[in-house]
Amino acid sequence: MHDPQQPADEGTRLGRLAATVERLRREVREAHAAADGRALIELAKGILVERLGCNPGEAARQLSSLAEQAGLSQLELAADIVNQAAQDRLTEAASQFVSAATGQGSPAEGGEPGDGRVSVAVRLRTAESGVLAADDTQAVSESLLQHALAPLGATAVAVWAAGTDGSLTLAGAAGFAPGEPGRWRYVPPGVATPARQALVERGTVWFGDVSEAGLPSIGQLPEERGGRVVVPAGTGGRILGVLEIVWPHPLPPQPPVLQRQVEALAELIAHTLEDHPETRWIPRPPDSELLDLANGLHDPALVLRPHLDADGRLADFRIQHVNTNFVDFAGRPRSAVNGALLLEAYPLAAGEGGLFEKIERVHATGEPFRAERMPLTAIIDQVPLTAVANVSISRHGDCVLLLWRVLDEAARVAGLLQHAQRLGRMGGFEENLVTGEITWNGQLFTLLGLPQTAPPIPLQQLPRHAHPDDAVALGRFLRALMHHQRPASTAFRLQRSDGVSRHIRVVAEPVLDVHGRLLGVRGAYQDISAQHWTEVALAATRDQLAHTEQQAAERNRLALQLQQAIMPPTHGPIEAFDLRIAVRYRPAEEEHLVGGDWYDCVVLPSKQVLLSLGDVAGHGIEAATGMVVLRNALRGLATTGAGPAQLLTWLNLVAHHLTEQVTATAVCALFDPETRVLRWARAGHFPPIMLRDGEASELPLIEGVLLGALSEARFEEGSVQLHKDDVLLMYTDGLIERKDRSLEHSQRQLLTVATAEVSSLEQRLDHLLTYSKSDTDDDTCVIGIQLR
């Protein structure tokens, strides 16, 4: 049977469904409109921050005040502020973007402001702000890059969420190469990155060239240059994350306007991070787990919750809970601090680097803080009371857990004293002369080799346990202490019961009553055996050192006598044929630096004149004896009539085989009076200097190695034709050697000094010694030859 009411029921159900759909659509539109309105208000607040140079809280109050004065809603006033903002780079880029996307003209082309349509900048910024108010942080990143940061030259943006353990999680990224966000999905705590630096410093950090900072980050290769800015994003004093903006080129210093714009964007970012899994934070009372944790601690603990001012900024911390084992280091009961503000209960915590600053950082960054022996101060009846405690601070959700352990300074000092006695091998005692009671500490039993159950040794019986030779010293000690009632000390050799002999020092003082009567004695024993044997070893070392110094002085005296006998400091001019020869020898100022410089001028049987000069390596008796061997050997070899190169070849064999590891430099020259030709050779020595016609120059450098360095060596021979009034100079390195200059530099200076105008050859040599710039205190020998 057909029911006539069935069509009516179906119509009713469909009508209700349609009404429900329409209602939901209307609620969605209203929600979108409300979100856009809130975003537009936030955008207007950002413009006020930029134009007025104020913070976001002050901008909110200014917007509310202006709306009330103008008789408009905050939404209407926000639209006017955005519409009337100056056409900056962001607005121009926005207009071009919308024109290209929609095919419409700019506001100037598409209509007047009064035609009922919202300007392009307002529509774009409203849409952008709507995205910023959304929960999708990735959409926020893309919108920021496309609509707000790309017009400023930025190419990429990253939004980091700060974890409670100090880690960073990439919540959104745009503009980076594919795969790059995946590589930087998570940054563990403690890894140094630009975002990490902003988190630690709790402030905006601008990197003009991030490659100079050497900090790795998303999309950054070590060799790539580019500018970056990292801004912490947070609310209520708690940092929720970090906004990181990337430029492809180094970034010059930016104006304050742009800096405030970036910080305003970071403030908007903070709202999108509030519901992120890593940063989700809904202000609420401490949960039961945190309270149970605090109550289970044996140390005093406070659960603190941030206290915000009217502008939403962190002003203080409220003491939400005090655990059951709480003991105030200032002696106050739990009720005196429970529920109070932290700075009201402990006002001195607000000092620079104080407790409040540590709590604030932990609350902002999530990094726990630990400190040992931190001073804590409270004011009780206007009197500051300070205690030393170990402090621990950690963040749990939106709360901070503060706990401390006050250190018992008396017990700590006693422990330090016990360790000091152990390390110093000391033990204390006190003897009551009235009752005969003797008190020793535990260290003293160990020190004197007695078991802890043994009776203490009275001072009067101390000589029985000492070496017999120390009885006199102990007797003087006891008389000064007991009879003269003066503090006294002495050292003696203790014969311990275990057969070990130790050197002990005892120090004691009398204890007198108010009438000056002796009541007792107190003092300490110290094991000075190590010190005694150290002094014995030191005395033996001093004796050995004195003997060594005496031997060294004797060797130096002999070397100096030997040197002065063969090489007198002054030598009169030598006349040989047409040559005038002058010599100057300057020994070292320090006698222990007696060296091996030597010279020789002799007329050979062949009527040739031998001129030689050398320098044996080292100082002391070895250098002096080596000098004598080489000088005399060269004089003897020269009688063979061989040339300078052959003479040095033989002399090298002498140095290598007939002496003990002697090395030396030398110059050997032979002058022929008939031809007036000077033949010469060198063995690792400086070439002679020729003075001719007022100019100085070195003779051409010829081949020749150090004497004694090789068993077989080849020496090259050179020759020079001497003219009338020519002067030839030969010298050792003591004339030019300096600690702060190279030998080449000093040789060039010597050529300048050698050209000075003087009246005689002797004065020229004296001038060279006077104006030489050497500073090594080495022997110096100079030979001058002048042809008449």
Side-chain angles (χ1 to χ4, degrees):
M1 182 177 176
H2 177 67
D3 186 356
Q5 298 297 327
Q6 184 66 27
D9 293 340
E10 291 182 1
T12 301
R13 286 195 296 270
L14 291 175
R16 290 174 180 175
L17 181 59
T20 300
V21 172
E22 181 60 27
R23 178 176 56 80
L24 292 176
R25 287 177 177 174
R26 183 173 63 254
E27 291 177 357
V28 170
R29 287 194 300 269
E30 291 174 354
H32 281 296
D36 289 344
R38 288 194 302 271
L40 185 59
I41 291 175
E42 292 295 330
L43 185 59
K45 286 164 56 179
I47 294 174
L48 291 178
V49 168
E50 173 190 344
R51 297 296 188 263
L52 302 180
C54 59
N55 57 46
E58 294 172 348
R61 291 194 300 270
Q62 189 73 5
L63 182 64
S64 176
S65 176
L66 291 176
E68 183 178 354
Q69 295 175 10
L72 299 174
S73 66
Q74 290 192 18
L75 182 60
E76 292 173 331
L77 181 59
D80 289 340
I81 290 175
V82 174
N83 193 34
Q84 294 173 9
Q87 292 287 321
D88 54 12
R89 293 178 57 190
L90 181 58
T91 304
E92 295 172 2
S95 301
Q96 296 173 2
F97 172 79
V98 174
S99 298
T102 61
Q104 299 175 356
S106 64
E109 299 171 353
E112 298 296 330
D115 61 1
R117 289 177 296 173
V118 183
S119 67
V120 174
V122 173
R123 286 190 285 108
L124 183 57
R125 286 178 171 173
T126 301
E128 173 193 325
S129 299
V131 175
L132 289 177
D135 295 335
D136 187 355
T137 312
Q138 179 61 34
V140 171
S141 305
E142 296 172 355
S143 178
L144 275 178
L145 179 62
Q146 180 179 2
H147 301 308
L149 300 175
L152 301 178
T155 57
V157 63
V159 177
W160 302 93
T164 56
D165 58 350
S167 63
L168 291 170
T169 302
L170 190 62
F176 296 103
E180 189 70 10
R183 293 177 55 245
W184 287 88
R185 182 186 62 81
Y186 175 76
V187 179
V191 177
T193 64
R196 169 83 179 167
Q197 185 169 340
L199 187 66
V200 172
E201 297 183 7
R202 294 187 293 168
T204 304
V205 182
W206 290 80
F207 295 93
D209 188 351
V210 72
S211 62
E212 297 178 356
L215 298 177
S217 186
I218 181 172
Q220 172 68 28
L221 297 177
E223 66 277 4
E224 287 184 348
R225 304 182 62 188
R228 293 205 178 198
V229 59
V230 282
V231 193
T235 58
R238 184 174 185 265
I239 299 177
L240 302 177
V242 178
L243 172 63
E244 183 171 357
I245 306 172
V246 181
W247 277 267
H249 49 74
L251 196 63
Q254 299 299 309
V257 171
L258 181 58
Q259 296 182 21
R260 288 194 295 269
Q261 288 177 345
V262 170
E263 291 172 358
L265 289 175
E267 185 177 354
L268 294 177
I269 287 291
H271 295 291
T272 69
L273 292 174
E274 289 181 346
D275 292 329
H276 192 276
E278 292 293 333
T279 62
R280 185 173 293 114
W281 180 49
I282 302 174
R284 60 185 182 275
D287 55 31
S288 59
E289 293 183 359
L290 180 57
L291 298 183
D292 292 341
L293 172 63
N295 290 330
L297 297 174
H298 294 287
D299 297 319
L302 302 177
V303 177
L304 308 175
R305 183 178 175 185
H307 177 72
L308 310 181
D309 59 13
D311 298 329
R313 293 175 300 187
L314 179 67
D316 202 343
F317 289 90
R318 178 76 64 180
I319 302 177
Q320 290 288 107
H321 179 72
V322 179
N323 71 339
T324 54
N325 293 324
F326 178 82
V327 176
D328 193 321
F329 58 86
R332 291 177 295 184
R334 297 173 56 196
S335 58
V337 298
N338 194 20
L341 292 175
L342 181 65
L343 293 181
E344 292 178 356
Y346 304 99
L348 295 184
E352 183 178 357
L355 182 64
F356 185 84
E357 182 178 312
K358 303 296 188 298
I359 297 173
E360 186 181 20
R361 175 176 290 275
V362 172
H363 170 256
T365 64
E367 296 183 7
F369 172 80
R370 306 285 186 272
E372 295 184 357
R373 301 188 57 77
M374 182 176 179
L376 300 178
T377 305
I379 297 179
I380 305 300
D381 297 330
Q382 300 182 350
V383 177
L385 299 177
T386 302
V388 178
N390 294 340
V391 178
S392 174
I393 309 172
S394 57
R395 190 177 73 185
H396 301 267
D398 61 333
C399 294
V400 175
L401 178 63
L402 166 65
L403 60 123
W404 62 67
R405 176 177 297 174
V406 177
L407 302 178
D408 186 349
E409 289 299 299
R412 184 177 182 85
V413 170
L416 290 176
L417 180 59
Q418 182 178 0
H419 289 302
Q421 290 179 346
R422 178 180 55 82
L423 294 174
R425 300 186 63 80
M426 299 176 60
F429 69 91
E430 187 173 43
E431 185 172 341
N432 190 323
L433 298 180
V434 178
T435 64
E437 181 183 1
I438 302 176
T439 303
W440 280 11
N441 67 356
Q443 183 67 23
L444 190 53
F445 287 94
T446 304
L447 185 67
L448 300 184
L450 297 175
Q452 296 289 334
T453 57
I457 301 174
L459 283 178
Q460 296 288 356
Q461 299 180 11
L462 198 57
R464 302 179 184 178
H465 301 271
H467 193 280
D469 294 343
D470 296 330
V472 175
L474 284 173
R476 285 196 300 264
F477 165 75
L478 291 174
R479 284 194 300 273
L481 185 65
M482 300 293 188
H483 299 289
H484 300 291
Q485 299 179 3
R486 296 196 306 261
S489 66
T490 189
F492 64 96
R493 285 162 289 181
L494 176 70
Q495 303 292 333
R496 300 196 333 184
S497 59
D498 55 4
V500 177
S501 178
R502 307 296 296 178
H503 290 262
I504 302 295
R505 177 178 295 278
V506 58
V507 181
E509 65 177 4
V511 179
L512 308 176
D513 63 9
V514 294
H515 302 292
R517 292 190 296 266
L518 183 64
L519 297 180
V521 178
R522 60 191 173 201
Y525 292 89
Q526 182 180 17
D527 187 342
I528 59 171
S529 301
Q531 177 183 349
H532 171 76
W533 293 117
T534 300
E535 291 175 354
V536 171
L538 183 59
T541 303
R542 288 198 188 101
D543 294 341
Q544 184 179 3
L545 180 60
H547 180 66
T548 303
E549 289 178 347
Q550 183 179 0
Q551 287 183 327
E554 184 66 20
R555 289 168 59 87
N556 291 335
R557 185 181 63 81
L558 292 176
L560 185 60
Q561 290 178 348
L562 179 63
Q563 183 189 62
Q564 292 177 349
I566 301 175
M567 307 286 295
T570 59
H571 197 297
I574 302 173
E575 301 288 343
F577 302 105
D578 295 330
L579 287 183
R580 183 178 180 86
I581 305 170
V583 178
R584 292 292 183 270
Y585 181 78
R586 180 177 64 190
E589 295 182 7
E590 299 289 340
E591 292 186 357
H592 68 277
L593 294 178
V594 173
D597 287 15
W598 55 273
Y599 65 89
D600 199 7
C601 303
V602 61
V603 179
L604 300 175
S606 62
K607 305 304 180 183
Q608 292 185 334
V609 180
L610 171 66
L611 304 167
S612 62
L613 178 142
D615 184 4
V616 176
H619 297 88
I621 190 67
E622 291 81 4
T625 54
M627 171 265 292
V628 173
V629 170
L630 294 182
R631 181 176 182 271
N632 293 338
L634 181 60
R635 176 176 286 197
L637 292 171
T639 61
T640 62
Q646 183 61 54
L647 291 178
L648 289 184
T649 301
W650 290 335
L651 193 63
N652 178 69
L653 294 175
V654 174
H656 188 78
H657 295 289
L658 301 183
T659 60
E660 296 180 359
Q661 299 179 347
V662 171
T663 58
T665 64
V667 173
C668 178
L670 291 174
F671 175 72
D672 189 344
E674 295 183 359
T675 61
R676 295 194 169 190
V677 173
L678 183 80
R679 299 159 56 202
W680 68 287
R682 58 179 287 273
H685 205 86
F686 305 114
I689 295 177
M690 170 68 75
L691 295 177
R692 177 176 291 172
D693 299 330
E695 295 184 357
S697 61
E698 291 183 342
L699 295 184
L701 193 65
I702 58 178
E703 182 180 352
V705 299
L706 197 71
L707 293 176
L710 303 173
S711 59
E712 295 182 2
R714 176 182 176 276
F715 297 91
E716 187 179 352
E717 186 174 296
S719 63
V720 58
Q721 179 73 52
L722 297 184
H723 300 160
K724 183 181 178 180
D725 296 328
D726 282 352
V727 175
L728 201 66
L729 300 174
M730 296 188 293
Y731 60 95
T732 59
D733 58 1
L735 183 67
I736 63 173
E737 194 173 34
R738 288 186 60 84
K739 300 174 183 177
D740 59 346
R741 294 285 189 276
S742 64
L743 287 177
E744 292 77 7
H745 181 272
S746 300
Q747 284 177 284
R748 291 194 298 268
Q749 287 187 335
L750 180 62
L751 293 177
T752 303
V753 176
T755 57
E757 294 184 4
V758 294
S759 58
S760 65
L761 180 62
E762 291 79 6
Q763 291 183 359
R764 185 176 301 279
L765 300 188
D766 292 335
H767 181 80
L768 287 176
L769 291 177
T770 301
Y771 291 96
S772 68
K773 298 183 179 299
S774 62
D775 62 358
T776 57
D777 190 24
D778 197 2
D779 287 10
T780 302
C781 183
V782 184
I783 299 178
I785 305 117
Q786 185 175 20
L787 184 62
R788 295 177 296 177

